Amino acid sequence: MTTIPIQPVQDSKVSIKNKFPLNQWYVAALSSELKDKPLGRTLLGEAVVLFRMGDGTVAALEDRCCHRALPLSSGTVESCGLRCGYHGLLYNQAGQCIEIPGQEKIPSKAKVAAHQVQERDGLIWIWFGKAENEQPTVEAPSYSVHSSPKYVYGGDVYHYNAPYQLIHDNLLDLSHLGYVHLHTIGGNAKVHMNAEMKVESEGDFVKVVRYMPDSVPPPTYTAAYPFKGNVDRWQEIEFRVSHLLIWTGAVDKDTDALDDPERGGFHMRGFHGITPETETTCHYFWTMATNPASNVEEIKLKVLDQTERTFDEDKVVIEEQYRNMLRFGPKPMIDIHVDVGANRARRVIERLIA
């Protein structure tokens, strides 16, 4: 039996950062989101403003002017920093006020907290460390799929009114595809529920591999790739605390080994950055990369449209699930064979928080 904690609504004045695994890089934004305006976002209970300096580097500050507390995300971006939209105080990327209009002397206390950020492979990461690890102890994760010539990709951001671990559960158990995503990436529900599954874990890492040989390709696959008939299909899911990597796809039946890292066929490589906003809400940063055999831009847009449709369906299910959990309270839930990966990931989170 599994009991998933039902989190109460948290007082926004109380810091909740310690409710989540720390000493981690979390996704703060997609690179494409930061242009010429500041972006305000609550991450692990902390209000943060993200912006680009004149040289293109990314900065992240506490989203509060030290003068009269207006969110700095209401201000404007300049080449040397971020200017408050109330009285014009200008902050550099370290959070230090470097200009007060009409006042020559700048108080030493005129500053706000700055966060450590790194931009890699089209993703902007923010470090949340424990008190003794305010500076990053490792580099932000890389994701070479975004720069690989084999793939084209796109993505977007969702906001969920549900705890972040419910999304972990959903992504680590793809048996639901045959029921929730019938018209896109689903396929035969019985095949999904009976797929050969292997789960391995070590440290903070969990991997789930599922194979579905000799199966009918789902609508998204046939719309994007010229399959000849039945396919051998795979799903590889990697859980890494702050994000998950999911590689799914198919080859024509009996053409390539499903454990061959260089196998051909149709690929969908998903990046899923799940960043808590509060204990009961979260941000979901996703990208999907694919390898069209022809009509590259057309197929890419088709795959992205189908992906967004599946995520819309997931969002409805997860938010309804959470509403019902609140309605019924902390009742135990039974486990079935497809829950192994999700349960191991929950144990990782529990250990890191403890």
Side-chain angles (χ1 to χ4, degrees), residues 156-203:
D156 207 344
V157 184
Y158 279 84
H159 180 270
Y160 267 72
N161 289 310
Y164 73 115
Q165 284 185 275
L166 294 183
I167 302 178
H168 291 175
D169 295 344
N170 175 270
L171 295 174
L172 281 158
D173 163 30
L174 297 187
S175 69
H176 74 272
L177 267 60
Y179 297 96
V180 179
H181 309 303
L182 293 172
H183 304 295
T184 52
I185 60 173
N188 185 290
K190 183 177 291 188
V191 170
H192 274 284
M193 293 301 291
N194 289 283
E196 175 191 352
M197 182 173 72
K198 296 179 182 178
V199 181
E200 60 184 70
S201 55
E202 182 177 351

Side-chain angles (χ1 to χ4, degrees), residues 7 10 14-24 26 42-46 128-130 162-165 168 241 274-282 349-350 352-354:
Q7 301 292 353
Q10 178 77 33
V14 178
S15 174
I16 62 170
K17 189 174 76 169
N18 290 333
K19 299 285 187 178
F20 308 107
L22 299 180
N23 294 345
Q24 304 284 336
Y26 286 88
T42 299
L43 306 166
L44 277 69
E46 298 194 6
F128 282 103
K130 296 180 181 179
Y164 73 115
Q165 284 185 275
H168 291 175
V241 181
I274 316 300
T275 303
E277 179 184 54
T278 67
E279 288 186 89
T280 60
T281 59
C282 63
I349 297 293
E350 289 170 4
L352 291 174
I353 293 174

Side-chain angles (χ1 to χ4, degrees), residues 122-330:
L123 302 165
I124 297 169
W125 299 85
I126 185 168
W127 175 259
F128 282 103
K130 296 180 181 179
E132 66 274 19
N133 293 118
E134 292 183 356
Q135 297 298 314
T137 56
V138 294
E139 292 293 304
S142 63
Y143 189 54
S144 60
V145 169
H146 284 171
S147 56
S148 170
K150 296 180 181 179
Y151 296 99
V152 290
Y153 81 97
D156 207 344
V157 184
Y158 279 84
H159 180 270
Y160 267 72
N161 289 310
Y164 73 115
Q165 284 185 275
L166 294 183
I167 302 178
H168 291 175
D169 295 344
N170 175 270
L171 295 174
L172 281 158
D173 163 30
L174 297 187
S175 69
H176 74 272
L177 267 60
Y179 297 96
V180 179
H181 309 303
L182 293 172
H183 304 295
T184 52
I185 60 173
N188 185 290
K190 183 177 291 188
V191 170
H192 274 284
M193 293 301 291
N194 289 283
E196 175 191 352
M197 182 173 72
K198 296 179 182 178
V199 181
E200 60 184 70
S201 55
E202 182 177 351
D204 301 341
F205 173 84
V206 179
K207 184 173 183 178
V208 179
V209 177
R210 291 161 47 88
Y211 294 144
M212 290 166 283
D214 194 13
S215 58
V216 177
T220 297
Y221 287 34
T222 55
Y225 197 85
F227 289 112
K228 299 172 183 176
N230 278 10
V231 298
D232 294 334
R233 191 174 172 186
W234 73 86
Q235 298 169 337
E236 296 187 8
I237 311 155
E238 297 182 8
F239 167 83
R240 303 189 178 189
V241 181
S242 67
H243 62 289
L244 292 88
L245 309 179
I246 302 182
W247 181 21
T248 59
V251 295
D252 281 310
K253 180 178 175 292
D254 297 330
T255 56
D256 278 351
L258 292 184
D259 58 356
D260 181 354
E262 300 300 323
R263 57 191 175 272
F266 173 63
H267 295 196
M268 294 178 68
R269 285 188 175 267
F271 175 90
H272 308 264
I274 316 300
T275 303
E277 179 184 54
T278 67
E279 288 186 89
T280 60
T281 59
C282 63
H283 305 288
Y284 183 172
F285 305 91
W286 67 269
T287 70
M288 184 60 70
T290 189
N291 60 335
S294 61
N295 303 323
V296 173
E297 193 61 24
E298 177 187 342
I299 297 300
K300 183 188 84 168
L301 293 176
K302 187 175 294 186
V303 168
L304 291 175
D305 175 70
Q306 296 274 300
T307 299
E308 192 163 357
R309 286 175 58 190
T310 67
F311 291 172
D312 288 342
E313 292 166 341
D314 279 330
K315 188 173 188 291
V316 169
V317 167
I318 292 170
E319 291 183 338
E320 284 293 327
Q321 173 194 13
Y322 184 55
R323 277 192 286 269
N324 219 32
M325 291 168 70
L326 292 174
R327 179 189 301 170
F328 283 91

Side-chain angles (χ1 to χ4, degrees), residues 322-344:
Y322 184 55
R323 277 192 286 269
N324 219 32
M325 291 168 70
L326 292 174
R327 179 189 301 170
F328 283 91
K331 290 191 173 184
M333 291 179 277
I334 66 165
D335 292 332
I336 62 175
H337 65 286
V338 297
D339 298 319
V340 177
N343 287 342
R344 290 193 189 182

Side-chain angles (χ1 to χ4, degrees), residues 73-111:
S73 54
S74 299
T76 54
V77 177
E78 299 186 8
S79 61
C80 55
L82 182 58
R83 191 176 294 278
C84 178
Y86 198 178
H87 296 92
L89 277 70
L90 180 64
Y91 296 87
N92 64 16
Q93 61 188 357
Q96 185 68 50
C97 179
I98 58 175
E99 181 186 328
I100 300 176
Q103 178 175 322
E104 186 174 340
K105 181 176 174 58
I106 301 174
S108 60
K109 292 183 178 180
K111 58 185 177 182

